[in-house]
Amino acid sequence: MKKKLTWGLIAILVLSLLAGCSNSSNEAGQSAEGGEPAAVEGVRKFEGTTIYMIAEQQTPTLALEKQLDNFTELTGIHVELEMAPFDSVVQKVTLAMQGGTGAYDVIATPYQFLGNLVVNEYIQPLEPLMNDERLSIIEAYDQSDIVEGMWAASGKWKDKIYGVSANSCIQFLAYRKDLFENADEQAAFKAEYGYDLVVPTDWDMYKDVAEFFTREKNETLAGEKLTQDFYGITMAGKRHDALTCEWLNYAWSFGGGIFDKNGNLIMDSEENIAALEYYDSIKAFAPPGISNKTWDEKTTDMQQGIAAMTIIFNDCAPGIEDPEQSKVAGKMGYGAIPVGQNPAAHYGAWSYFIPAEAKNPEAAWVFLQWFNTPDVQKAIALDGGFPNLTSVYNDEDLNVLPYWQGTLKAYEISSTRPRIPEWNTMNEELMLQLSRVLTGEIDAEEGLKNTQEKYEQVLEGQLPLGYQ
């Protein structure tokens, strides 16, 4: 299923996870002796409370961490933030949700797991908290400033709001601008391929450019002798969510996807097969070992200056632009993913939810309000995150970021994964079959036929819940 989202409409977020972590917070206003609660109102209504949250250890979360002291100073609420790699967060959240431990007051999960979280009653709707005037204590919070489409995609299920966007990342094309602008490389490319070297706008061009820039050690690149092999692209191939995320850009662009507009499965369609055959073919221009690569390893490849292009989530761009980590900082360009039949850009955001068993849901909602205030959102954006607020997207200070305009253009053509409860099982199958194709165990047609058959079993021939 593919949905197009305009710039005001961004898409959705993240996963079914959770675990560990004990909660020893005090009730707001509770006296030290455990007597009658003190009459604390206003912004410090929950002073003394500790809320526990978990999120992926990534640039936007690290940016948020820097702002937490400001939240505590304003509200008196302490935030105990646990960060872990993607897979670890998924495992911990899943265990905590299934066990009903109440370990967390706020969880960050990918948007596509929203349906699963709701159907299993792992998270609670936010409207009761949103409509409680006693909890409207963050003066700078303006609900109307949140990008409506983003909020709906990341937190809305069957006309109820369950979460807010945590980090709205989207995939785009990152490329070595310095190489594309090099006169020697431009002349050599035109001599070999018969047209000008420009940033690829279609998949034929992308493959030509990937082939052209793939060089062996001791060959010349942009006038310098290479001390190691250089590659036209880097790509994800590990049996991991990163593989699903990257390949779906190709599937949607080639005219395929998961469902057609009527909700019929199309995994074994000609368009999807062509997209996977193409994806498999271009691994010839990528560094060896793609079967072990996710977005993290692709980011490292770009930072080390061993690849000319990659299709990657925009929240990896700040690391590529960090001169302390990256050899190519200041040398990069960012733009739209090449187009086949359709323009596409995979929206892959995380959402914040309040678990059904949270011990401090009211204080958690105060935190989510504060998180969506302009000063906080801007600070996080300037430090490598991506905001939820229209006012911050339009802030002139952000236009100086080298990846900002590329991000906005990608949002205009964003496409999203299903948020249906069955998606977790479906995604596991897709990751398996894609990885089997890339390792040469099976061909694209067999892999997608296997996927189609598995999906039909999972959905039992029914239009998936929440498809509409």
Side-chain angles (χ1 to χ4, degrees), residues 141-436:
Y141 173 69
D142 177 6
Q143 179 175 317
S144 67
D145 196 18
I146 300 176
V147 178
E148 183 178 353
M150 180 192 300
W151 199 358
S154 62
K156 194 171 183 179
W157 181 261
K158 288 190 170 292
D159 299 322
K160 287 187 178 180
I161 295 174
Y162 288 89
V164 300
S165 178
N167 175 42
S168 296
C169 50
I170 196 163
Q171 295 203 337
F172 58 10
L173 176 65
Y175 59 93
R176 285 283 300 276
K177 183 171 61 174
D178 61 323
L179 299 182
F180 279 85
E181 294 176 350
N182 181 273
D184 291 340
E185 297 296 335
Q186 290 175 343
F189 182 88
K190 188 164 187 177
E192 184 171 351
Y193 293 92
Y195 63 95
D196 291 335
L197 174 62
V198 295
V199 178
T201 56
D202 63 45
W203 295 114
D204 289 338
M205 294 174 64
Y206 187 73
K207 191 170 187 177
D208 284 349
V209 172
E211 179 184 52
F212 172 72
F213 277 123
T214 300
R215 315 275 171 93
E216 294 183 355
K217 179 181 177 180
N218 294 324
E219 290 189 67
T220 299
L221 178 68
E224 296 185 7
K225 188 176 181 179
L226 289 168
T227 59
Q228 60 182 330
D229 291 344
F230 189 83
Y231 302 91
I233 58 171
T234 182
M235 56 192 289
K238 186 175 182 178
R239 183 178 170 182
H240 186 275
D241 203 52
L243 176 54
T244 297
C245 291
E246 185 167 346
W247 177 72
L248 279 174
N249 289 294
Y250 296 77
W252 288 320
S253 180
F254 275 61
I258 300 166
F259 300 104
D260 66 16
K261 63 182 180 180
N262 297 315
N264 300 307
L265 284 168
I266 56 170
M267 288 307 303
D268 59 353
S269 65
E270 292 181 3
E271 292 81 2
N272 278 350
I273 293 170
L276 185 49
E277 288 176 342
Y278 177 89
Y279 194 69
D280 186 47
S281 73
I282 61 174
K283 70 185 182 188
F285 313 119
I290 67 163
S291 61
N292 294 314
K293 290 185 188 290
T294 70
W295 40 65
D296 293 334
E297 290 75 23
K298 291 198 303 176
T299 299
T300 300
D301 285 346
M302 297 306 296
Q303 289 174 324
Q304 292 178 345
I306 66 168
M309 303 181 294
T310 191
I311 292 171
I312 200 164
F313 278 119
N314 60 350
D315 60 354
C316 299
I320 297 173
E321 292 293 342
D322 183 351
E324 294 184 2
Q325 303 181 64
S326 177
K327 297 179 181 179
V328 299
K331 299 179 180 180
M332 298 295 299
Y334 305 91
I337 292 172
V339 177
Q341 292 188 34
N342 302 306
H346 196 150
Y347 181 83
W350 289 69
S351 298
Y352 285 138
F353 301 109
I354 300 177
E357 303 297 330
K359 293 181 172 66
N360 298 291
E362 294 181 332
W365 171 239
V366 173
F367 168 78
L368 294 181
Q369 291 175 68
W370 169 85
F371 175 72
N372 280 298
T373 55
D375 286 349
V376 176
Q377 288 281 297
K378 181 176 178 179
I380 291 173
L382 287 171
D383 213 11
F386 296 90
N388 301 334
L389 306 182
T390 300
S391 61
V392 179
Y393 272 108
N394 293 330
D395 193 296
E396 292 182 359
D397 292 341
L398 295 173
N399 281 319
V400 302
L401 298 174
Y403 48 81
W404 201 250
Q405 286 302 315
T407 291
L408 297 183
K409 290 177 182 177
Y411 282 143
E412 293 175 356
I413 56 172
S414 60
S415 308
T416 67
R417 280 163 284 176
R419 300 177 298 166
I420 57 178
E422 299 87 354
W423 176 247
N424 191 28
T425 300
M426 294 167 68
N427 190 34
E428 288 293 333
E429 181 68 17
L430 182 56
M431 290 188 293
L432 169 63
Q433 298 301 335
L434 293 177
S435 66
R436 292 179 70 197

